[in-house]
Amino acid sequence: MNLAYRRALWVFHLNTGSCNGCDIEILACLTPRYDVERFGIKLVASPRHADVLLVTGPVVRGMDERARRIYEQMPGPKAVIVVGTCGASGGVFHHSYNLVGPVDKVLPVDVYVPGCPPRPEAVIQGVVRCWAKLERAAAKGRAAEGVG
Ligand code: SF4
């Protein structure tokens, strides 16, 4: 856990077709009750600044290309979290004519946070798991360079 808190973690939120339920739970993480910014977890406005891509909803047609482009704009090491059942499996939208599919049809997913919608505590736990993964990747990079 110590490793996971070595730096701030910047998150870009992308809605690829959710009903907004998961998105509201993500916003709740920023309210004074949970206040994730005190741990250094911050929502950013550009994928170019983000370590983590946090995706809500299944991927509707037209959003697959955009999601790929946004992911490519993020610098590495980077991670993807899917928040909610819709992004993981299609959920209640599974048979929709307008669906490309779950998020892993389009992006490499690192962490799934199940639920419809998941509670803020679960979302925060997912972000921390991503954080640990990124710290491991960064430590590997430092070791390869003979630093730290
Ligand atoms: S998982 Fe539930 S709350 Fe989240 S986008 Fe799907 S239907 Fe909405």
PDB file of all heavy atoms in Angstrom, residues 17-23 25 56-58 83-87 90-93 115-118, ligand 1:
ATOM      1  N   GLY A  17     -21.466   5.613 -23.125  1.00  0.00           N
ATOM      2  CA  GLY A  17     -22.877   5.291 -23.375  1.00  0.00           C
ATOM      3  C   GLY A  17     -23.641   4.868 -22.136  1.00  0.00           C
ATOM      4  O   GLY A  17     -24.623   4.133 -22.241  1.00  0.00           O
ATOM      5  N   SER A  18     -23.198   5.310 -20.969  1.00  0.00           N
ATOM      6  CA  SER A  18     -23.889   4.892 -19.743  1.00  0.00           C
ATOM      7  C   SER A  18     -25.185   5.683 -19.543  1.00  0.00           C
ATOM      8  O   SER A  18     -25.409   6.708 -20.185  1.00  0.00           O
ATOM      9  CB  SER A  18     -22.978   5.075 -18.532  1.00  0.00           C
ATOM     10  OG  SER A  18     -23.211   6.303 -17.909  1.00  0.00           O
ATOM     11  N   CYS A  19     -26.014   5.194 -18.593  1.00  0.00           N
ATOM     12  CA  CYS A  19     -27.292   5.860 -18.311  1.00  0.00           C
ATOM     13  C   CYS A  19     -27.104   7.035 -17.367  1.00  0.00           C
ATOM     14  O   CYS A  19     -28.067   7.696 -17.011  1.00  0.00           O
ATOM     15  CB  CYS A  19     -28.260   4.864 -17.683  1.00  0.00           C
ATOM     16  SG  CYS A  19     -27.850   4.521 -15.964  1.00  0.00           S
ATOM     17  N   ASN A  20     -25.863   7.256 -16.930  1.00  0.00           N
ATOM     18  CA  ASN A  20     -25.481   8.340 -16.017  1.00  0.00           C
ATOM     19  C   ASN A  20     -25.475   7.910 -14.548  1.00  0.00           C
ATOM     20  O   ASN A  20     -25.027   8.659 -13.699  1.00  0.00           O
ATOM     21  CB  ASN A  20     -26.368   9.582 -16.190  1.00  0.00           C
ATOM     22  CG  ASN A  20     -25.582  10.849 -16.057  1.00  0.00           C
ATOM     23  OD1 ASN A  20     -24.383  10.855 -16.278  1.00  0.00           O
ATOM     24  ND2 ASN A  20     -26.234  11.930 -15.670  1.00  0.00           N
ATOM     25  N   GLY A  21     -25.994   6.695 -14.281  1.00  0.00           N
ATOM     26  CA  GLY A  21     -26.024   6.235 -12.895  1.00  0.00           C
ATOM     27  C   GLY A  21     -24.617   6.046 -12.340  1.00  0.00           C
ATOM     28  O   GLY A  21     -24.290   6.493 -11.234  1.00  0.00           O
ATOM     29  N   CYS A  22     -23.752   5.370 -13.108  1.00  0.00           N
ATOM     30  CA  CYS A  22     -22.370   5.155 -12.654  1.00  0.00           C
ATOM     31  C   CYS A  22     -21.642   6.490 -12.525  1.00  0.00           C
ATOM     32  O   CYS A  22     -20.832   6.683 -11.615  1.00  0.00           O
ATOM     33  CB  CYS A  22     -21.630   4.268 -13.645  1.00  0.00           C
ATOM     34  SG  CYS A  22     -22.187   2.557 -13.633  1.00  0.00           S
ATOM     35  N   ASP A  23     -21.939   7.396 -13.430  1.00  0.00           N
ATOM     36  CA  ASP A  23     -21.240   8.697 -13.440  1.00  0.00           C
ATOM     37  C   ASP A  23     -21.543   9.501 -12.180  1.00  0.00           C
ATOM     38  O   ASP A  23     -20.679  10.190 -11.645  1.00  0.00           O
ATOM     39  CB  ASP A  23     -21.650   9.466 -14.696  1.00  0.00           C
ATOM     40  CG  ASP A  23     -21.514   8.597 -15.922  1.00  0.00           C
ATOM     41  OD1 ASP A  23     -22.407   7.768 -16.163  1.00  0.00           O
ATOM     42  OD2 ASP A  23     -20.495   8.707 -16.611  1.00  0.00           O
ATOM     43  N   GLU A  25     -22.176   8.216  -9.270  1.00  0.00           N
ATOM     44  CA  GLU A  25     -21.407   7.614  -8.164  1.00  0.00           C
ATOM     45  C   GLU A  25     -19.948   8.072  -8.209  1.00  0.00           C
ATOM     46  O   GLU A  25     -19.301   8.228  -7.176  1.00  0.00           O
ATOM     47  CB  GLU A  25     -21.490   6.086  -8.225  1.00  0.00           C
ATOM     48  CG  GLU A  25     -22.887   5.535  -8.083  1.00  0.00           C
ATOM     49  CD  GLU A  25     -23.569   5.969  -6.796  1.00  0.00           C
ATOM     50  OE1 GLU A  25     -22.921   5.955  -5.742  1.00  0.00           O
ATOM     51  OE2 GLU A  25     -24.760   6.330  -6.856  1.00  0.00           O
ATOM     52  N   THR A  56     -17.296   4.493 -18.162  1.00  0.00           N
ATOM     53  CA  THR A  56     -18.628   4.065 -17.733  1.00  0.00           C
ATOM     54  C   THR A  56     -19.476   3.754 -18.964  1.00  0.00           C
ATOM     55  O   THR A  56     -19.383   4.442 -19.978  1.00  0.00           O
ATOM     56  CB  THR A  56     -19.348   5.162 -16.927  1.00  0.00           C
ATOM     57  OG1 THR A  56     -19.377   6.362 -17.709  1.00  0.00           O
ATOM     58  CG2 THR A  56     -18.660   5.435 -15.613  1.00  0.00           C
ATOM     59  N   GLY A  57     -20.291   2.710 -18.837  1.00  0.00           N
ATOM     60  CA  GLY A  57     -21.243   2.389 -19.893  1.00  0.00           C
ATOM     61  C   GLY A  57     -20.687   1.404 -20.899  1.00  0.00           C
ATOM     62  O   GLY A  57     -19.477   1.232 -21.021  1.00  0.00           O
ATOM     63  N   PRO A  58     -21.597   0.754 -21.656  1.00  0.00           N
ATOM     64  CA  PRO A  58     -21.156  -0.085 -22.758  1.00  0.00           C
ATOM     65  C   PRO A  58     -20.658   0.849 -23.860  1.00  0.00           C
ATOM     66  O   PRO A  58     -20.834   2.051 -23.752  1.00  0.00           O
ATOM     67  CB  PRO A  58     -22.439  -0.798 -23.176  1.00  0.00           C
ATOM     68  CG  PRO A  58     -23.516   0.186 -22.843  1.00  0.00           C
ATOM     69  CD  PRO A  58     -23.046   0.940 -21.617  1.00  0.00           C
ATOM     70  N   VAL A  83     -16.153   1.017 -14.812  1.00  0.00           N
ATOM     71  CA  VAL A  83     -17.050   1.171 -13.672  1.00  0.00           C
ATOM     72  C   VAL A  83     -18.470   0.808 -14.106  1.00  0.00           C
ATOM     73  O   VAL A  83     -19.027   1.432 -15.012  1.00  0.00           O
ATOM     74  CB  VAL A  83     -17.001   2.615 -13.128  1.00  0.00           C
ATOM     75  CG1 VAL A  83     -18.080   2.835 -12.086  1.00  0.00           C
ATOM     76  CG2 VAL A  83     -15.628   2.908 -12.536  1.00  0.00           C
ATOM     77  N   GLY A  84     -19.018  -0.250 -13.496  1.00  0.00           N
ATOM     78  CA  GLY A  84     -20.406  -0.626 -13.756  1.00  0.00           C
ATOM     79  C   GLY A  84     -20.532  -1.870 -14.624  1.00  0.00           C
ATOM     80  O   GLY A  84     -19.643  -2.208 -15.407  1.00  0.00           O
ATOM     81  N   THR A  85     -21.649  -2.515 -14.461  1.00  0.00           N
ATOM     82  CA  THR A  85     -21.923  -3.767 -15.170  1.00  0.00           C
ATOM     83  C   THR A  85     -22.047  -3.556 -16.673  1.00  0.00           C
ATOM     84  O   THR A  85     -21.651  -4.416 -17.463  1.00  0.00           O
ATOM     85  CB  THR A  85     -23.231  -4.368 -14.608  1.00  0.00           C
ATOM     86  OG1 THR A  85     -23.053  -4.527 -13.203  1.00  0.00           O
ATOM     87  CG2 THR A  85     -23.559  -5.708 -15.228  1.00  0.00           C
ATOM     88  N   CYS A  86     -22.570  -2.419 -17.087  1.00  0.00           N
ATOM     89  CA  CYS A  86     -22.753  -2.179 -18.529  1.00  0.00           C
ATOM     90  C   CYS A  86     -21.428  -2.204 -19.276  1.00  0.00           C
ATOM     91  O   CYS A  86     -21.327  -2.788 -20.357  1.00  0.00           O
ATOM     92  CB  CYS A  86     -23.440  -0.840 -18.756  1.00  0.00           C
ATOM     93  SG  CYS A  86     -25.162  -0.889 -18.339  1.00  0.00           S
ATOM     94  N   GLY A  87     -20.419  -1.577 -18.708  1.00  0.00           N
ATOM     95  CA  GLY A  87     -19.112  -1.552 -19.362  1.00  0.00           C
ATOM     96  C   GLY A  87     -18.445  -2.913 -19.354  1.00  0.00           C
ATOM     97  O   GLY A  87     -17.656  -3.245 -20.243  1.00  0.00           O
ATOM     98  N   GLY A  90     -22.108  -5.256 -21.034  1.00  0.00           N
ATOM     99  CA  GLY A  90     -23.223  -4.718 -21.827  1.00  0.00           C
ATOM    100  C   GLY A  90     -24.432  -4.482 -20.942  1.00  0.00           C
ATOM    101  O   GLY A  90     -25.288  -3.658 -21.248  1.00  0.00           O
ATOM    102  N   GLY A  91     -24.522  -5.267 -19.850  1.00  0.00           N
ATOM    103  CA  GLY A  91     -25.583  -5.090 -18.855  1.00  0.00           C
ATOM    104  C   GLY A  91     -26.969  -5.043 -19.467  1.00  0.00           C
ATOM    105  O   GLY A  91     -27.292  -5.849 -20.360  1.00  0.00           O
ATOM    106  N   VAL A  92     -27.779  -4.115 -19.022  1.00  0.00           N
ATOM    107  CA  VAL A  92     -29.163  -4.049 -19.510  1.00  0.00           C
ATOM    108  C   VAL A  92     -29.239  -3.636 -20.979  1.00  0.00           C
ATOM    109  O   VAL A  92     -30.275  -3.799 -21.622  1.00  0.00           O
ATOM    110  CB  VAL A  92     -30.002  -3.057 -18.661  1.00  0.00           C
ATOM    111  CG1 VAL A  92     -30.240  -3.590 -17.265  1.00  0.00           C
ATOM    112  CG2 VAL A  92     -29.357  -1.679 -18.617  1.00  0.00           C
ATOM    113  N   PHE A  93     -28.131  -3.138 -21.508  1.00  0.00           N
ATOM    114  CA  PHE A  93     -28.125  -2.719 -22.922  1.00  0.00           C
ATOM    115  C   PHE A  93     -27.549  -3.812 -23.826  1.00  0.00           C
ATOM    116  O   PHE A  93     -27.313  -3.579 -25.013  1.00  0.00           O
ATOM    117  CB  PHE A  93     -27.281  -1.450 -23.092  1.00  0.00           C
ATOM    118  CG  PHE A  93     -27.741  -0.308 -22.234  1.00  0.00           C
ATOM    119  CD1 PHE A  93     -26.938   0.186 -21.215  1.00  0.00           C
ATOM    120  CD2 PHE A  93     -28.974   0.287 -22.445  1.00  0.00           C
ATOM    121  CE1 PHE A  93     -27.358   1.246 -20.419  1.00  0.00           C
ATOM    122  CE2 PHE A  93     -29.405   1.344 -21.659  1.00  0.00           C
ATOM    123  CZ  PHE A  93     -28.606   1.822 -20.643  1.00  0.00           C
ATOM    124  N   GLY A 115     -21.321  -3.653 -10.537  1.00  0.00           N
ATOM    125  CA  GLY A 115     -22.428  -3.032  -9.804  1.00  0.00           C
ATOM    126  C   GLY A 115     -23.264  -2.184 -10.738  1.00  0.00           C
ATOM    127  O   GLY A 115     -22.797  -1.774 -11.798  1.00  0.00           O
ATOM    128  N   CYS A 116     -24.498  -1.932 -10.349  1.00  0.00           N
ATOM    129  CA  CYS A 116     -25.407  -1.146 -11.189  1.00  0.00           C
ATOM    130  C   CYS A 116     -26.222  -0.181 -10.336  1.00  0.00           C
ATOM    131  O   CYS A 116     -27.362  -0.449 -10.034  1.00  0.00           O
ATOM    132  CB  CYS A 116     -26.329  -2.078 -11.974  1.00  0.00           C
ATOM    133  SG  CYS A 116     -27.505  -1.186 -13.018  1.00  0.00           S
ATOM    134  N   PRO A 117     -25.627   0.961  -9.996  1.00  0.00           N
ATOM    135  CA  PRO A 117     -24.212   1.314 -10.162  1.00  0.00           C
ATOM    136  C   PRO A 117     -23.416   0.848  -8.957  1.00  0.00           C
ATOM    137  O   PRO A 117     -23.987   0.572  -7.908  1.00  0.00           O
ATOM    138  CB  PRO A 117     -24.261   2.850 -10.192  1.00  0.00           C
ATOM    139  CG  PRO A 117     -25.408   3.184  -9.289  1.00  0.00           C
ATOM    140  CD  PRO A 117     -26.401   2.083  -9.431  1.00  0.00           C
ATOM    141  N   PRO A 118     -22.079   0.775  -9.086  1.00  0.00           N
ATOM    142  CA  PRO A 118     -21.260   0.447  -7.917  1.00  0.00           C
ATOM    143  C   PRO A 118     -21.252   1.592  -6.923  1.00  0.00           C
ATOM    144  O   PRO A 118     -21.421   2.750  -7.306  1.00  0.00           O
ATOM    145  CB  PRO A 118     -19.861   0.238  -8.499  1.00  0.00           C
ATOM    146  CG  PRO A 118     -19.904   0.647  -9.902  1.00  0.00           C
ATOM    147  CD  PRO A 118     -21.294   0.988 -10.292  1.00  0.00           C
TER     148      PRO A 118
HETATM  149  S1  SF4 B   1     -24.275  -0.253 -14.743  1.00  0.00           S
HETATM  150 FE1  SF4 B   1     -26.330   0.499 -14.171  1.00  0.00          FE
HETATM  151  S2  SF4 B   1     -25.966   2.597 -13.497  1.00  0.00           S
HETATM  152 FE2  SF4 B   1     -24.139   1.983 -14.644  1.00  0.00          FE
HETATM  153  S3  SF4 B   1     -24.514   2.672 -16.746  1.00  0.00           S
HETATM  154 FE3  SF4 B   1     -25.278   0.552 -16.586  1.00  0.00          FE
HETATM  155  S4  SF4 B   1     -27.479   0.748 -16.107  1.00  0.00           S
HETATM  156 FE4  SF4 B   1     -26.496   2.736 -15.661  1.00  0.00          FE
END
